[in-house]
Amino acid sequence: MDKSMVKAIILIGGPQKGTRFRPLSLDTPKPLFPVAGLPMIQHHIEACTRINNLKEIIILGYYPTNDLAQFVSEMNQKYKILIRYLQEFTPLGTAGGMYHFRDQVRSGNPSGFFVIHGDVCSDFPLSQMLEFHEKRPGALITVLGTEATKQQSVYYGCLVCAKETSEITHYVEKPSTFVSTLINCGVYFCSIDIFQIMADVFKKKEEAFYNGENGYGSENGCSGSMQLEKEVLQPLSGTGKSFVYQITDWWSQLKSAGSAIYANRHYLQVYRNKHPERLAKSKENQVNIIGDVYIHPSATVHPSAILGPNVSISAFATVGPGVRIRESIVLQEAVIADHSLILYSIVGRGTKVGEWTRVEGTPCDPNPNKPFAKMDNLPLFNSSGKLNPSITVLGCSVTVPSEVILLNSIVLPYKDLTRSFKNEIIL
Amino acid sequence: MCGTDNKTSRVKALILVGGYGTRLRPLTLSRPKPLVEFANKPMLLHQMEALVAAGVTEVVLAVSYRAEQMEQELNTEAIKLGINLIFSHETEPLGTAGPLALAKSILGSTPEPFFVLNSDIICEFPFRDLLAFHKNHGKEGTIVVTKVEEPSKYGVVLCDEDGKIDSFIEKPQEFVSNKINAGMYILNPDVLKRIPLKPTSIEKEVFPFMANEGQLYAMELEGFWMDVGQPRDFLTGMCLYLSSLRHRQPNLLGSGDSIVGNVLIDPTAKIGEGCRIGPNVTIGPNVILEDGVCIKRSTILEGAIIKSHSWLSGCIVGWRCIVGKWVRMENITVLGEDVIVKDELYINGGQVLPHKSIASSVPEPQIIM
């Protein structure tokens, strides 16, 4: 069996993306938003480092290099593996960037590479995928797939595969009618020869452009942009070169702020097996931790506070006496004063919540009664123009006074609130 | 009128208790309204004590329903106060004047005037002054009037400088007077001749005629006044009552690190550490407030338990309720008897019927059956 080295590419997009993640993405690049105590894409990096012969991780996007420099250097130190950030000069689509940097990907002669979208959350069974891929000699690409409901499948890339061989026989991105309940999870393993396919696609596009077939300056012109799903995966389906590796456990996307609470819960659950040392435990003779809770070592949590289940407390945050926090994320340097209650909420960096205050959101979890249901990424407003109830999000450096209630509200950074708010966006 | 105790001792009073007190539900589903504790004392007892202090020895309660519990409990109180308590039962609702006709044999047994009052009102009952004022003008009747900010909601009283009432105007569109009928009167037995034994309104069918004949005077009330017949006004009345206590008997009000403003706490109540109670809170007997509870503008009735870290404002918590930890209740939330509110819930303007267990939040005002 070929045991040559492999690489991984994490696609993080750029600041123009992730607007649904506002106001949290206003001050932190979305890929660095902490979930279960770690920046979102650090979970991807950790999954990659579990593969022995994975020698390099390339983070690919169009955020300014400075936004990621510190993170990348921390990751290099922590994981003793080569991790680089490569910046696309302009958004190049899901395949255009890696094709542009193909020489960097190819260097060192890897047999292939993973491609992982930065905003998907999963336990990432990468070694199983790799093994699966290597058992299929003709395979150019293996796609991680999962089951969705019939209704929700059309919001994703839909895969049809042959039962016995797992070969992809048909692929369509976000179809308008039902095609298949098997959906694309945004995680791939590609053999290095995939660049040959991309080169062919690129050449065809170039020719078409200079023949004027696509019209001058159209987005599919010679800008270097290329979509992995439509322009690579779709043509490869039915050729015997693309396969699907199906998982049945948790997978979700991190699109809205609300989905961060859902992802937080699952990553904490993953810690139970993989990193039990990261989960907080109740001190002797008292129960102040319920279920899965992450508390950064530098955070201060009063012994009389009760946290959990599914709570993450970031660095230098302060949780006062008699505070109760459930299903929430509290970011760096936030302060929660005595007797307050935080439910289904995200408390931004440096935000201060007064005493006896209630900060509460509404969970937007997938329907637990429907097998394979995914989270509905509802729009902010419903058809009658009212705010859809969702997670309460406090942007950074917000001040919430004592004794008020914030219910299903979104507060933009640096606001000093003076009263209660319900179902409102506070600009 | 000092030194005339023998004479005043013959003064009687009639309290219009009326029906089921539906406006004060869900509390009155468990306890007749006159027995619902206002500032840790049954509502009717505030009035009975003030009447006793003015020398009244015989009180007629005009009720339109039978309630054994009420009669027993009030008889016990009457014995303590040393008064004769007579229940006058209407077989059909007789309005605000009819009950006087029904009790004619008692009220008219002496030539002395008698007091009449609505059972829902709370003030610094000025019965001695009222008797003196009444005797002084010598006419058939005197009604107590109080000034209100928005008189257009009520019937207003027009009177001259001496207090002689000129006329009544129902819900005036334009400002004519800010004095309204406060629901307390003193009447001579002669007035009974004006009242038939049938449903009759004293405000509409008796007083206007007396005023026309120059037989009705108004005495202005000093201090606060409130009709506490419904939850919102019950709490407003409690605030006014407590601030009146602050001036009259400040020693009755609580003090200490955890107390803010005017707070009345029964000595048998237990208050945990790190609480913030007040302003304007009444805590009943055997109530338990656990550590870190914050309560404002609320009444907690006997035997209720409020668990740690909860926050209450504008609430009436019924007898023996249990409110969980980190609960927030506000905006005229009324819990009937023996209601359980689970931990971490939010109740906004909930009216909860007795013996309910609440397991999910009530974000908008509603009645929970």
Side-chain angles (χ1 to χ4, degrees):
Chain A
M1 185 171 277
D2 184 11
K3 271 286 159 199
S4 67
M5 68 102 150
V6 297
K7 296 190 178 186
I9 299 170
I10 302 171
L11 303 175
I12 62 167
Q16 295 94 320
K17 294 276 180 184
T19 55
R20 273 184 286 175
F21 206 64
R22 286 174 182 171
L24 297 167
S25 52
L26 288 175
D27 58 301
T28 308
K30 179 180 152 186
L32 301 187
F33 180 81
V35 177
L38 300 184
M40 213 185 276
I41 58 169
Q42 193 172 342
H43 294 282
H44 300 55
I45 292 172
E46 279 202 341
C48 292
T49 58
R50 288 198 286 265
I51 295 174
N52 288 331
N53 57 334
L54 194 143
K55 301 295 183 198
E56 183 181 5
I57 299 169
I58 294 167
I59 300 167
L60 188 56
Y62 40 97
Y63 283 95
T65 308
N66 274 346
D67 286 7
L68 285 117
Q70 199 196 339
F71 171 76
V72 169
S73 91
E74 281 173 20
M75 291 301 101
N76 270 299
Q77 280 173 12
K78 190 173 164 97
Y79 295 106
K80 315 283 182 234
I81 184 173
L82 180 59
I83 300 173
R84 289 193 290 161
Y85 174 59
L86 297 181
Q87 189 192 348
E88 297 170 31
F89 55 93
T90 179
L92 293 173
T94 46
M98 65 183 87
Y99 183 69
H100 179 79
F101 291 111
R102 59 193 176 279
D103 290 343
Q104 310 252 20
V105 179
R106 275 192 193 126
S107 77
N109 204 20
S111 65
F113 54 94
F114 288 98
V115 175
I116 312 173
H117 279 268
D119 62 357
V120 302
C121 306
S122 161
D123 201 7
F124 300 117
L126 300 184
S127 51
Q128 293 95 312
M129 268 182 89
L130 183 56
E131 199 182 323
F132 174 94
H133 186 87
E134 287 171 343
K135 276 184 190 158
R136 286 161 179 75
L140 278 184
I141 185 165
T142 292
V143 181
L144 189 69
T146 193
E147 194 86 2
T149 64
K150 218 173 157 179
Q151 291 86 349
Q152 288 178 327
S153 65
V154 294
Y155 303 119
Y156 299 90
C158 292
L159 299 152
V160 182
C161 75
K163 268 226 168 74
E164 299 79 33
T165 60
S166 297
E167 190 202 326
I168 297 172
T169 54
H170 185 66
Y171 182 86
V172 56
E173 186 70 12
K174 298 189 179 95
S176 55
T177 56
F178 172 71
V179 171
S180 162
T181 54
L182 186 61
I183 60 165
N184 176 356
C185 292
V187 180
Y188 314 89
F189 184 80
C190 302
S191 296
I192 204 72
D193 291 343
I194 196 96
F195 284 126
Q196 193 51 54
I197 305 288
M198 290 184 189
D200 294 344
V201 171
F202 194 76
K203 196 179 266 174
K204 268 192 200 142
K205 286 177 74 158
E206 242 177 5
E207 281 168 9
F209 175 75
Y210 287 110
N211 292 337
E213 284 170 32
N214 285 339
Y216 180 78
S218 82
E219 63 168 316
N220 290 329
C222 71
S223 62
S225 165
M226 198 191 310
Q227 299 300 328
L228 183 64
E229 299 83 356
K230 272 191 177 159
E231 294 174 275
V232 181
L233 196 51
Q234 200 166 341
L236 277 178
S237 60
T239 63
K241 291 173 181 162
S242 59
F243 294 86
V244 58
Y245 179 77
Q246 198 175 336
I247 51 166
T248 50
D249 58 352
W250 160 66
W251 172 87
S252 74
Q253 281 180 303
L254 246 165
K255 294 285 188 196
S256 63
S259 54
I261 297 295
Y262 182 68
N264 185 57
R265 184 190 313 160
H266 283 281
Y267 274 129
L268 288 172
Q269 207 178 325
V270 167
Y271 287 171
R272 271 193 234 160
N273 293 323
K274 291 214 166 79
H275 292 282
E277 77 286 357
R278 286 185 186 161
L279 293 175
K281 287 174 195 69
S282 287
K283 304 233 164 55
E284 267 178 63
N285 305 324
Q286 64 183 55
V287 179
N288 66 333
I289 302 293
I290 300 167
D292 301 331
V293 174
Y294 169 85
I295 301 172
H296 190 277
S298 66
T300 310
V301 176
H302 193 272
S304 66
I306 299 184
L307 311 187
N310 307 319
V311 169
S312 292
I313 309 286
S314 292
F316 302 106
T318 306
V319 176
V323 165
R324 177 81 181 96
I325 306 179
R326 185 154 62 84
E327 301 283 356
S328 295
I329 298 174
V330 176
L331 298 177
Q332 304 94 292
E333 292 156 40
V335 179
I336 317 291
D338 313 14
H339 314 297
S340 283
L341 172 69
I342 315 287
L343 295 179
Y344 289 102
S345 297
I346 297 171
V347 179
R349 190 163 47 82
T351 282
K352 289 182 171 56
V353 176
E355 298 177 341
W356 280 296
T357 277
R358 183 181 183 99
V359 177
E360 181 178 10
T362 300
C364 36
D365 295 350
N367 186 344
N369 300 319
K370 269 192 179 172
F372 312 119
K374 304 285 173 268
M375 176 175 268
D376 281 313
N377 283 307
L378 292 174
L380 265 182
F381 299 95
N382 64 21
S383 52
S384 58
K386 277 192 167 168
L387 201 58
N388 274 320
S390 81
I391 298 295
T392 285
V393 182
L394 306 179
C396 71
S397 302
V398 166
T399 309
V400 184
S402 290
E403 303 184 36
V404 301
I405 176 168
L406 280 187
L407 185 64
N408 302 338
S409 291
I410 295 169
V411 186
L412 269 65
Y414 305 106
K415 285 296 288 188
D416 281 344
L417 305 182
T418 53
R419 61 175 175 91
S420 294
F421 289 92
K422 293 177 189 173
N423 309 307
E424 272 188 63
I425 297 177
I426 299 122
L427 286 177
Chain B
M1 296 306 291
C2 293
T4 57
D5 279 347
N6 285 339
K7 226 175 157 191
T8 57
S9 72
R10 269 172 262 138
V11 177
K12 301 179 174 71
L14 180 137
I15 302 177
L16 295 159
V17 175
Y20 293 98
T22 54
R23 292 189 304 159
L24 207 53
R25 282 179 182 168
L27 298 174
T28 46
L29 291 172
S30 303
R31 218 159 148 71
K33 185 175 64 179
L35 295 181
V36 171
E37 295 90 346
F38 175 87
N40 284 350
K41 195 189 286 180
M43 277 170 52
L44 200 65
L45 218 53
H46 288 274
Q47 294 158 338
M48 283 178 29
E49 285 182 359
L51 290 166
V52 168
V56 171
T57 56
E58 196 161 59
V59 174
V60 179
L61 293 186
V63 290
S64 64
Y65 66 104
R66 300 287 310 231
E68 299 236 330
Q69 179 200 11
M70 172 171 74
E71 292 181 18
Q72 271 176 20
E73 287 195 35
L74 288 176
N75 276 325
T76 311
E77 294 296 339
I79 291 164
K80 277 193 225 161
L81 290 169
I83 57 167
N84 187 19
L85 191 63
I86 300 156
F87 290 88
S88 172
H89 297 283
E90 303 159 42
T91 47
E92 59 165 335
L94 292 174
T96 48
L100 276 67
L102 193 64
K104 195 171 190 173
S105 60
I106 304 161
L107 301 174
S109 64
T110 66
E112 282 299 316
F114 55 86
F115 294 107
V116 176
L117 55 152
N118 291 333
S119 66
D120 288 348
I121 53 169
I122 286 292
C123 64
E124 293 168 7
F125 303 104
F127 294 126
R128 276 182 184 277
D129 293 345
L130 180 57
L131 181 61
F133 181 92
H134 181 71
K135 294 247 160 145
N136 194 41
H137 66 68
K139 300 293 190 222
E140 279 185 23
T142 307
I143 72 174
V144 178
V145 293
T146 186
K147 286 182 180 169
V148 291
E149 284 182 3
E150 294 177 54
S152 62
K153 290 193 286 190
Y154 306 87
V156 301
V157 177
L158 297 181
C159 56
D160 69 15
E161 282 169 14
D162 300 331
K164 191 162 80 103
I165 294 177
D166 177 58
S167 62
F168 296 90
I169 298 171
E170 255 322 292
K171 298 190 171 59
Q173 296 297 305
E174 274 180 54
F175 182 85
V176 282
S177 162
N178 58 359
K179 291 182 187 128
I180 67 157
N181 180 346
M184 282 179 286
Y185 326 113
I186 186 164
L187 304 172
N188 289 346
D190 287 346
V191 174
L192 294 169
K193 293 176 194 152
R194 299 176 180 270
I195 306 171
L197 184 54
K198 64 171 192 181
T200 311
S201 161
I202 202 165
E203 296 87 354
K204 295 196 176 91
E205 295 173 77
V206 180
F207 288 159
F209 298 97
M210 291 171 70
N212 282 346
E213 293 167 31
Q215 288 292 340
L216 194 59
Y217 275 69
M219 184 185 90
E220 199 171 308
L221 182 66
E222 301 276 319
F224 77 99
W225 175 88
M226 198 73 207
D227 178 333
V228 295
Q230 49 189 328
R232 182 179 297 276
D233 298 335
F234 183 96
L235 291 174
T236 307
M238 179 196 66
C239 298
L240 297 169
Y241 178 85
L242 293 184
S243 75
S244 154
L245 265 194
R246 171 66 69 195
H247 292 110
R248 292 183 290 125
Q249 294 171 285
N251 56 313
L252 293 183
L253 294 174
S255 59
D257 286 347
S258 55
I259 306 295
V260 182
N262 301 329
V263 177
L264 185 64
I265 302 176
D266 188 276
T268 60
K270 290 190 180 68
I271 299 191
E273 291 190 10
C275 290
R276 190 191 294 164
I277 313 300
N280 300 313
V281 171
T282 301
I283 308 287
N286 302 312
V287 164
I288 297 172
L289 306 183
E290 293 186 354
D291 297 347
V293 165
C294 181
I295 306 182
K296 321 166 114 169
R297 198 183 168 92
S298 294
T299 287
I300 314 297
L301 294 173
E302 183 168 2
I305 299 171
I306 315 291
K307 295 194 179 173
S308 288
H309 315 299
S310 282
W311 184 92
L312 280 66
S313 176
C315 298
I316 305 175
V317 176
W319 310 272
R320 292 168 293 284
C321 283
I322 299 173
V323 175
K325 294 176 179 182
W326 288 287
V327 166
R328 181 186 178 97
M329 299 202 300
E330 60 185 337
N331 193 18
I332 319 295
T333 286
V334 185
L335 303 185
E337 182 189 13
D338 177 38
V339 165
I340 296 172
V341 179
K342 295 268 161 71
D343 290 353
E344 302 173 20
L345 298 185
Y346 171 47
I347 313 288
N348 175 21
Q351 312 250 54
V352 186
L353 270 65
H355 313 295
K356 284 293 287 187
S357 180
I358 306 286
S360 58
S361 288
V362 181
E364 295 300 329
Q366 72 178 89
I367 295 162
I368 292 126
M369 294 289 281

